[in-house]
């Protein structure tokens, strides 16, 4: 019987070349899942659709994916089978059987990403794989003001590393929350979707505002139709980024 | 000028053979600190006194240690120097200059340890290095009742792997708190000191109570003068254990 399963996934991205399957030498999350499902079903290929790709080194607390397989197994049996063969830095934490038309990327309505900055010169022993260490003094209010200018529906082409000029670079950011949590500065982004490297370039730009090398107001011109990648801030490291939730 | 420094340390114990220095092949936390301080001071030996040894694989959020060195450096310079050479899974998070007579083990008045059980059959991706995965259903009230019998001043000789029969095995446990935190069962121990493997053997015994293979009342006889190691529960894995705080 053909079943369409939606899974909720967590992974520590440290050791992986990102979500997307590559050739046989690539160590990817999609690749791990597909080879386990091929073994389980005896099929030559199984396609696992992620809600989107995450880059090498990026983590996920709430990635979603779906796949269609012929199986008599119950959803819990499928989850148990996958978890049994996954390495300990990837885990399926829930599973649902969905109508045939459900697609985890096409049906996604929004995403939440979090970027964690360890804003101290003390070592961060336990969370070091999940934060970007940046001891510089940051002006949080300035970062919040700049973030406010980026919220809304805009052309974010200055905030992507993608060279594909044909696809739309218009996206809507519903909110950017900048919070101090102990020694961390945590940036939480919610939007309908994010371009390649977009969260990491916005974060890099907001950090420059926080350091005082850009004014909050100056980010407005990065949304202009003649803005370009070079005008925006630096790309911050992948390890501070985590895909928190995909909304449907 | 001879100075006596007290440091507050964090470490992820996963890769280490515990706190205590061994021969030159041993990978230990004390060994790392002492070799950095020898380099800094140009001395052949520097002794770093820990508040106590932690075993291989055990973590620390608040280990303390002291060492006496001849130096003109300020405390902040010393901390910065050490952190610069420590691997990223060990960090000094604060430093104080103390009177000459201060000794981090001899002056310690009490310690707090925490043992974390991941009580779910779902994978624990992000915290997997810091928890013991045990999906069995646990009767938390029974564990609390048993823990209550162990609180107080008792002879804990049945709860240690140490073969040294000359040293006193009498200790005082001020409190054992058993809490459910999401999918975790967290046991917090506060006492004047703990014998070799004592927290891990008490935890193993409480887990057996939680599973129903021992009654809460049965732990009382483990404190008798003719109790022995074989009567107590299994030693649980090191990775769930963390030294949280040393009290002075």
């Amino acid at each position: 019987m053909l079943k369409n399963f939606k899974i909720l996934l967590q992974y520590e991205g440290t050791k992986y070349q990102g979500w997307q399957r590559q050739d046989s030498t690539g160590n990817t999350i999609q690749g791990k899942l597909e080879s386990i499902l091929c073994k389980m079903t005896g099929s030559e290929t199984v396609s696992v659709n992620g809600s989107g790709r995450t880059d090498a080194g990026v983590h996920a607390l709430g990635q979603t994916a779906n796949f269609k397989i012929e199986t008599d197994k119950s959803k819990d049996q499928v989850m148990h089978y996958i978890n049994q063969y996954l390495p300990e830095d990837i885990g399926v934490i829930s599973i649902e059987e969905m109508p045939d038309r459900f697609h985890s990327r096409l049906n996604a309505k929004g995403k939440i990403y979090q970027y964690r900055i360890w804003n101290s010169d003390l070592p961060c022993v336990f969370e070091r794989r999940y934060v970007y260490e940046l001891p510089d003094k940051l002006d949080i209010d300035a970062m919040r003001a700049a973030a406010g200018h980026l919220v809304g529906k805009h052309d974010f082409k200055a905030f992507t590393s993608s060279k594909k000029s044909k696809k739309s670079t218009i996206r809507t950011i519903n909110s950017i929350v900048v919070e101090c949590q102990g020694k961390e500065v945590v940036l939480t982004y919610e939007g309908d979707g994010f371009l390649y490297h977009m969260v990491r370039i916005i974060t890099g730009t907001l950090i420059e505002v926080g350091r005082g090398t850009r004014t909050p107001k100056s980010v407005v011109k990065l949304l202009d139709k003649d803005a370009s990648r070079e005008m925006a801030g630096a790309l911050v490291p992948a390890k501070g980024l985590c895909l928190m939730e995909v909304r449907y």
Side-chain angles (χ1 to χ4, degrees), chain A residues 45-46 52 90 164 203 226 248:
Chain A
T45 58
V46 174
I90 309 177
K164 290 176 195 154
T203 302
D226 43 323
Y248 289 95

Side-chain angles (χ1 to χ4, degrees), chain A residues 8 61-64 110-113 242-247:
Chain A
L8 187 62
L61 200 77
Q63 171 68 296
T64 56
K111 282 184 188 163
I112 299 176
Y113 275 97
C242 186
L243 172 56
M244 304 299 282
E245 191 182 332
V246 183
R247 297 222 165 132

Side-chain angles (χ1 to χ4, degrees), chain A residues 115-170:
Chain A
Y115 197 91
R116 293 171 60 183
I117 300 166
W118 179 255
N119 191 28
S120 167
D121 55 5
L122 292 175
C124 178
V125 169
F126 294 99
E127 299 291 296
R128 65 187 189 276
R129 298 175 184 90
Y130 311 122
V131 297
Y132 167 40
E133 287 100 344
L134 182 80
D136 308 20
K137 183 153 176 49
L138 297 174
D139 180 338
I140 303 298
D141 286 336
M143 291 172 75
R144 285 182 178 138
H149 294 305
L150 300 177
V151 170
K153 186 175 181 179
H154 301 291
D155 188 339
F156 288 98
K157 66 171 179 288
F159 295 96
T160 177
S161 309
S162 176
K163 299 283 189 290
K164 290 176 195 154
S165 55
K166 282 176 191 165
K167 286 196 175 177
S168 168
T169 47
I170 293 173

Side-chain angles (χ1 to χ4, degrees), chain A residues 36-52:
Chain A
I36 292 168
L37 289 168
C38 284
K39 179 165 33 185
M40 189 186 90
T41 57
S43 313
E44 295 229 337
T45 58
V46 174
S47 289
V48 175
N49 308 306
S51 75

Side-chain angles (χ1 to χ4, degrees), chain A residues 171-217:
Chain A
R171 294 289 185 281
T172 300
I173 299 183
N174 300 315
S175 63
I176 305 176
V177 177
V178 183
E179 284 172 299
C180 296
Q181 297 178 358
K183 295 187 168 61
E184 288 184 32
V185 176
V186 180
L187 293 91
T188 306
Y189 297 86
E190 189 189 335
D192 61 354
F194 294 89
L195 303 166
Y196 180 55
H197 282 171
M198 177 169 156
V199 177
R200 289 161 61 192
I201 297 170
I202 295 182
T203 302
T205 307
L206 295 179
I207 286 171
E208 291 173 17
V209 171
R211 277 178 177 142
T213 58
R214 284 174 191 269
T215 64
K217 197 74 193 291

